[in-house]
Amino acid sequence: MNEKQSKLCILPLSRIKMIMKSSPEVGNISPDSCFLVTKATEGFIAFLVRQALKASDNKMQVDYSDLAKIVSSIDTLDFLKDIIPPKIKGSKYLEILKQIEEREKRIALEDQEL
């Protein structure tokens, strides 16, 4: 990768290339493709931050809750819902688990009756 491309990027090109190589389907990675993926990643991060700042109460700082809010509200960010879920309290999580277990028990009983 040439030095000019490295200076145009905020994220380290070598790290992006290493992440790209971690995929078993990827063979050789040209310097231009690594540069483009890096710039696209920087653009995506900038988009996330801008959207989170719009949703934030504090216009100087982005918190996890701001990111979780935009991920759940923007349809095109659905793929991040498992990575950036909204925070919930432990008691609420246990309550949700209990409801799931009860639902599974009811389904199992219904299956046995058939």
Side-chain angles (χ1 to χ4, degrees), residues 5-111:
Q5 285 180 335
S6 292
K7 288 183 179 179
L8 293 173
C9 295
I10 297 169
L11 297 173
L13 290 169
S14 59
R15 194 63 63 98
I16 300 295
K17 186 173 184 176
M18 183 180 67
I19 293 168
M20 290 171 69
K21 281 186 173 182
S22 70
S23 176
E25 294 117 21
V26 175
N28 292 332
I29 300 168
S30 72
D32 289 340
S33 64
C34 184
F35 174 74
L36 288 174
V37 168
T38 302
K39 292 307 284 181
T41 303
E42 290 174 358
F44 178 68
I45 292 169
F47 170 77
L48 277 178
V49 170
R50 279 193 304 271
Q51 295 301 316
L53 280 172
K54 285 180 189 177
S56 177
D57 296 330
N58 179 357
K59 300 300 180 191
M60 299 297 290
Q61 180 176 331
V62 173
D63 292 328
Y64 179 90
S65 60
D66 302 326
L67 287 172
K69 190 186 317 178
I70 64 155
V71 165
S72 65
S73 65
I74 299 176
D75 292 338
T76 56
L77 298 177
D78 276 349
F79 69 99
L80 291 174
K81 283 187 176 178
D82 291 338
I83 299 168
I84 309 175
K87 283 188 176 181
I88 59 173
K89 293 185 177 186
S91 59
K92 178 74 173 164
Y93 178 73
L94 291 174
E95 186 178 306
I96 292 169
L97 279 179
K98 191 179 286 186
Q99 290 172 356
I100 291 171
E101 287 175 2
E102 289 172 1
R103 190 177 322 128
E104 288 174 352
K105 285 179 186 177
R106 281 195 308 266
I107 291 171
L109 285 173
E110 289 173 2
D111 288 345

